[in-house]
């Protein structure tokens, strides 16, 4: 590494920066970085860490695929040690240098993985000769444009490091490339739904492709990683890049030039990530609505389901209860009738199965006209029951349904989805409590239902609700997204100091962005929008 850095400092070639992360693919680099964040927090919490000799929780026993490699640190480079900078710099500047250096080395690792995707898969005769041109496009989309964008970006980062071993800034480079070159991420990410679908189709239909892919995935240079782990790299990178810039923003001096460039870079990346998410959601939501409408049978009044402003929030079977509310009658199976609910952002359909794939619509109601009543205080038999009121159903009448779910968490999830604005414990209490409960994700989880939240390792979340059967409703601090996730994939943050620091950093980012937005509005002669009162509230995305 020291030789590579000396080459960098003497106007090196493009390949020199790649020496900073030898043989480390981005998938490894990313997992290792996140694991280190978890271990640092555990250390501050006074909990056993992976290297402490004490057995950690199973989810925390995450090992590097190649244990000899660890992340490069700026302060460990020989050129930095020899310069004497570590003796003269303030600790906070060293921390900032590390944050900027991580952005550079992680980009080098990302490009290394893209190169492997190109040479080992995209250009490999074993795949090219077994796929049609259309299937090649389905699988790889505009990945070559993604590679060119990364190469240009990495070259500019390298030139910045060549200027001095003390990195002046990197966020100005990020901002420039986000504006001029990173649009290619949007089309790639939006196409991923088709990419995954066609990959599954090709695997089923093309036996030779399936055999060759298995052979390529098992070769040592791939390090046990799947082909799909390479395909999802662009979206993982653009979202991680936003967090790396956010980390720099937390550490730069307030009202400094570096803060301004960090804010600009973060806003541009946030715009791109938002467009990626919205594009994916729009496509999947439209397909889902079309699929659902094909299964519906309307007995009387038909309700148009497909709409550009509508999407599915939750669906599933619950038991409708009827008859007297006595212990004796409630034990009777005849008083339970299965119904199936389709809840959209602005509409509820109450149905029953008419066949294996068809649902007969019994009732409907605007979501704004729904009310719920929890029956948890009315005995064990009603522990999983709640009342759903339709203030104005499809026949313009008020009707009530007593519903029963399989578990407490199912009931709470339905109540929250049906009536998210009701004044209950689901409303965040953190507005006046800076020491509110927080957790950190220690195991990635992909959402299985529309009301669930996908979480990544090291994500920090504020907890709004938790159930005794293993589910939590949380709000992710860095983007305000809300949803349910299993308790097993997170670990409670014990240290009040860590929790307070998380909120402080979150607020710092929000205030910096609001200040920048206010300055731009003032320069255009308009008054800025009124600032929200609480950082968690203002960052939250409406459910």
């Amino acid at each position: 590494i020291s030789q590579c850095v000396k080459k960098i400092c003497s106007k090196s070639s493009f390949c020199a920066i790649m020496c900073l992360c030898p043989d480390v693919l981005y998938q490894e680099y990313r997992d290792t970085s996140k694991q280190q964040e978890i271990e640092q927090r555990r250390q501050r919490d006074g909990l056993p860490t992976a290297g402490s000799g004490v057995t950690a929780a199973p989810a925390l026993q995450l090992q590097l695929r190649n244990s000899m490699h660890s992340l490069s640190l700026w302060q460990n480079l020989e050129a930095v040690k020899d310069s004497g900078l570590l003796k003269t710099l303030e600790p906070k500047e060293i921390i900032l240098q590390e944050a900027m250096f991580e952005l550079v080395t992680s980009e080098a690792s990302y490009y290394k993985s893209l190169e492997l995707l190109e040479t080992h898969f995209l250009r490999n005769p074993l795949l090219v000769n077994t796929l049609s041109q259309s299937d090649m496009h389905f699988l790889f989309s505009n990945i070559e444009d993604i590679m060119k964008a990364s190469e240009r970006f990495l070259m500019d980062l390298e030139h910045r490091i060549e200027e001095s071993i003390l990195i002046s800034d990197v966020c100005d480079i990020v901002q420039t490339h986000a504006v001029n070159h990173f649009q290619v991420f949007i089309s790639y990410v939006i196409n991923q739904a088709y990419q995954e679908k066609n990959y599954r189709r090709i695997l089923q239909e093309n036996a030779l492709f399936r055999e060759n892919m298995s052979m390529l995935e098992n070769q040592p240079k791939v390090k046990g990683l799947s082909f799909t782990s390479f395909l999802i790299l662009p979206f993982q990178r653009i979202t991680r890049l936003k967090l790396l810039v956010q980390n720099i923003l937390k550490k730069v001096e307030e009202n400094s030039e570096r803060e301004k460039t960090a804010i600009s870079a973060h806003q541009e990346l946030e715009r791109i990530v938002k467009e990626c998410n919205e594009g994916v959601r729009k496509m999947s939501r439209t397909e889902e609505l079309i699929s659902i409408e094909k299964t519906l049978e309307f007995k009387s009044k038909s309700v148009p389901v497909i709409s550009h402003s509508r999407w599915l929030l939750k669906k599933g079977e619950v038991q409708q209860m009827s008859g007297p509310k006595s212990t004796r009658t409630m034990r009777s199976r005849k008083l339970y009738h299965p119904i199936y609910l389709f809840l959209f952002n602005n509409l509820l359909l109450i149905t029953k199965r008419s066949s294996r794939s068809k649902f007969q619509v019994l009732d409907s109601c605007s979501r704004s006209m729904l009310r719920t009543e929890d029956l948890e205080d009315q005995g064990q038999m009603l522990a999983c029951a709640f009342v759903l009121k339709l203030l104005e159903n499809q026949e313009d009448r008020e009707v009530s349904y007593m519903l029963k779910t399989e578990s407490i968490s199912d009931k709470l999830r339905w109540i929250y989805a049906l009536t998210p604005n009701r004044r209950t414990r689901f409303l965040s209490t953190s507005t006046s409590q800076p020491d509110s409960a927080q957790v950190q994700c220690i195991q990635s989880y992909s959402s299985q239902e529309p009301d669930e939240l996908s979480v990544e390792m090291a994500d920090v979340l504020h907890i709004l609700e938790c159930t005794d059967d293993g589910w939590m409703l949380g709000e992710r601090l860095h983007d305000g997204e809300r949803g349910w996730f299993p308790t097993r994939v997170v670990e409670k943050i014990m240290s009040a100091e860590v929790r307070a620091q998380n909120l402080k950093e979150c607020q710092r980012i929000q205030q910096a962005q609001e200040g920048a937005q206010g300055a731009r509005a003032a320069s255009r002669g308009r008054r800025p929008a009124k600032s929200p009162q609480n950082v968690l509230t203002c960052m939250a995305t409406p459910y």
Side-chain angles (χ1 to χ4, degrees):
I1 291 178
S2 62
Q3 292 177 349
C4 291
V5 172
K6 289 175 182 177
K7 289 180 181 179
I8 289 174
C9 296
S10 59
K11 309 298 184 184
S12 66
S13 66
F14 171 71
C15 296
I17 199 172
M18 302 296 285
C19 297
L20 296 173
C21 48
D23 300 324
V24 179
L25 296 176
Y26 185 67
Q27 294 94 319
E28 298 175 294
Y29 192 107
R30 182 171 173 269
D31 287 349
T32 306
S33 178
K34 288 175 174 289
Q35 182 61 35
Q36 287 186 353
E37 290 181 42
I38 294 170
E39 294 300 325
Q40 288 169 3
R41 191 268 310 161
R42 285 178 57 83
Q43 192 172 27
R44 294 181 68 184
D45 266 351
L47 298 174
T49 58
S52 64
V54 180
T55 303
L60 283 170
Q61 295 174 346
L62 302 174
Q63 301 296 326
L64 278 174
R65 291 184 176 87
N66 192 333
S67 59
M68 73 172 70
H69 297 307
S70 60
L71 301 187
S72 301
L73 294 177
W74 176 82
Q75 61 188 305
N76 289 341
L77 300 175
E78 290 298 328
V80 174
K81 292 178 180 178
D82 295 343
S83 69
L85 282 171
L86 298 177
K87 298 178 182 179
T88 59
L89 290 178
E90 294 286 335
K92 61 182 180 181
E93 178 61 31
I94 295 176
I95 293 173
L96 176 58
Q97 289 292 314
E98 296 290 6
M100 293 190 290
F101 187 68
E102 182 182 0
L103 188 146
V104 177
T105 54
S106 64
E107 185 66 26
S109 180
Y110 166 65
Y111 185 76
K112 189 183 295 289
S113 286
L114 288 182
E115 278 191 316
L116 188 57
L117 172 61
E118 179 187 43
T119 58
H120 191 64
F121 295 104
L122 176 60
R123 303 296 179 198
N124 197 308
L126 287 175
L127 293 190
V128 174
N129 296 336
T130 59
L131 293 175
S132 65
Q133 285 188 339
S134 61
D135 282 343
M136 285 291 291
H137 177 71
F138 279 135
L139 287 186
F140 296 100
S141 188
N142 62 326
I143 193 65
E144 291 176 298
D145 294 333
I146 296 285
M147 286 195 66
K148 291 176 183 176
S150 179
E151 184 174 351
R152 282 191 296 259
F153 183 40
L154 193 54
M155 288 182 69
D156 282 352
L157 291 173
E158 181 195 29
H159 292 156
R160 179 59 53 83
I161 292 182
E162 287 175 352
E163 295 172 0
S164 171
I165 55 175
L166 185 65
I167 307 171
S168 59
D169 197 2
V170 293
C171 290
D172 57 332
I173 299 175
V174 175
Q175 195 270 344
T176 299
H177 282 261
V179 171
N180 298 316
H181 305 300
F182 286 175
Q183 289 296 116
V184 293
F185 281 96
I186 299 173
S187 53
Y188 184 89
V189 172
I190 291 176
N191 190 52
Q192 277 192 324
Y194 293 114
Q195 193 180 52
E196 295 170 6
K197 185 183 298 183
N198 280 281
Y199 178 57
R200 291 193 297 268
R201 173 185 60 79
I202 296 169
L203 281 176
Q204 290 178 348
E205 298 175 355
N206 192 329
L208 183 57
F209 170 82
R210 187 166 61 247
E211 292 174 10
N212 290 341
M213 178 58 70
S214 177
M215 186 187 308
L216 292 176
E217 287 182 328
N218 287 325
Q219 290 187 12
K221 65 173 68 175
V222 183
K223 301 185 179 182
L225 295 164
S226 67
F227 172 60
T228 54
S229 77
F230 288 89
L231 292 182
I232 63 174
L233 284 172
F235 184 57
Q236 289 182 335
R237 181 55 184 168
I238 197 67
T239 53
R240 183 64 177 171
L241 194 57
K242 188 188 85 166
L243 293 180
L244 290 170
V245 169
Q246 195 175 92
N247 192 39
I248 293 172
L249 179 54
K250 294 173 184 176
K251 294 170 172 57
V252 294
E253 185 180 353
E254 292 187 33
N255 302 315
S256 65
E257 192 62 32
R258 288 196 292 200
E259 183 188 64
K260 292 178 182 178
T261 59
I263 292 171
S264 297
H266 185 268
Q267 289 175 334
E268 288 299 327
L269 292 172
E270 197 166 40
R271 174 186 61 81
I272 292 171
V273 172
K274 184 177 180 180
E275 287 190 42
C276 287
N277 285 328
E278 288 181 348
V280 171
R281 286 170 180 167
K282 184 177 180 180
M283 293 180 68
S284 61
R285 285 169 176 175
T286 301
E287 289 185 355
E288 193 168 40
L289 288 177
I290 294 173
S291 176
I292 290 174
E293 188 175 62
K294 290 178 180 178
T295 68
L296 299 177
E297 299 173 336
F298 291 90
K299 190 174 182 179
S300 55
K301 185 178 180 181
S302 178
V303 178
V305 173
I306 300 176
S307 169
H308 291 299
S309 60
R310 177 171 294 150
W311 60 87
L312 183 72
L313 291 182
K314 190 170 178 61
K315 65 178 180 179
E317 186 174 275
V318 295
Q319 299 294 320
Q320 181 183 359
M321 304 169 64
S322 58
K325 298 181 185 179
S326 68
T327 303
R328 179 179 178 184
T329 56
M330 285 183 62
R331 287 174 179 167
S332 171
R333 277 296 194 186
K334 296 180 180 179
L335 296 178
Y336 294 88
H337 304 284
I339 60 174
Y340 202 94
L341 306 182
F342 290 94
L343 178 65
F344 305 94
N345 62 309
N346 54 8
L347 174 70
L348 170 68
L349 296 181
I350 299 177
T351 73
K352 70 174 182 179
R353 288 186 183 273
S354 56
S355 66
R356 187 173 183 179
S357 60
K358 292 290 185 178
F359 299 88
Q360 185 182 76
V361 179
L362 305 175
D363 209 346
S364 64
C365 181
S366 168
R367 188 178 178 221
S368 62
M369 300 299 286
L370 300 176
R371 300 294 184 268
T372 56
E373 178 187 349
D374 197 342
L375 300 177
E376 64 174 347
D377 298 326
Q378 300 189 30
Q380 185 61 34
M381 293 299 296
L382 293 173
C384 296
F386 68 97
V387 174
L388 172 63
K389 293 182 180 180
L390 282 56
L391 300 184
E392 191 176 298
N393 73 347
Q394 62 187 18
E395 298 176 353
D396 298 326
R397 295 187 299 108
E398 179 177 334
V399 294
S400 293
Y401 294 84
M402 182 180 287
L403 305 177
K404 184 178 177 65
T405 61
E406 291 185 355
S407 66
I408 296 292
S409 60
D410 283 343
K411 180 187 72 170
L412 293 178
R413 286 170 66 168
W414 271 115
I415 291 175
Y416 180 72
L418 290 161
T419 51
N421 296 322
R422 63 197 290 269
R423 298 192 62 82
T424 68
R425 55 189 168 181
F426 294 121
L427 292 178
S428 174
T429 58
S430 64
T431 53
S432 58
Q433 297 179 13
D435 191 32
S436 54
Q438 293 176 15
V439 295
Q440 186 174 45
C441 177
I442 57 175
Q443 181 182 334
S444 297
Y445 174 77
S446 296
S447 60
Q448 307 297 312
E449 299 291 340
D451 65 334
E452 293 178 8
L453 179 67
S454 293
V455 289
E456 296 283 345
M457 280 176 57
D459 280 352
V460 175
L461 304 105
H462 160 65
I463 299 306
L464 303 174
E465 177 64 50
C466 57
T467 69
D468 293 335
D469 54 353
W471 286 89
M472 287 183 169
L473 173 65
E475 178 179 274
R476 189 162 45 216
L477 289 191
H478 77 74
D479 62 6
E481 291 281 347
R482 289 185 178 188
W484 294 87
F485 50 86
T487 305
R488 60 179 170 79
V489 303
V490 298
E491 188 170 69
K492 187 176 181 181
I493 298 177
M494 308 300 295
S495 169
E497 180 185 355
V498 173
R499 294 195 297 269
Q501 182 66 23
N502 289 338
L503 290 179
K504 182 180 179 181
E505 291 176 348
C506 187
Q507 191 169 19
R508 162 84 192 280
I509 293 169
Q510 188 66 22
Q511 288 175 343
Q513 290 183 318
E514 289 171 2
Q517 291 168 356
R520 286 199 300 271
S523 67
R524 293 193 296 264
R526 297 204 304 266
R527 295 179 63 186
K530 186 177 179 181
S531 300
Q533 294 298 311
N534 177 263
V535 63
L536 286 177
T537 303
C538 66
M539 290 183 70
T541 301
Y543 184 74

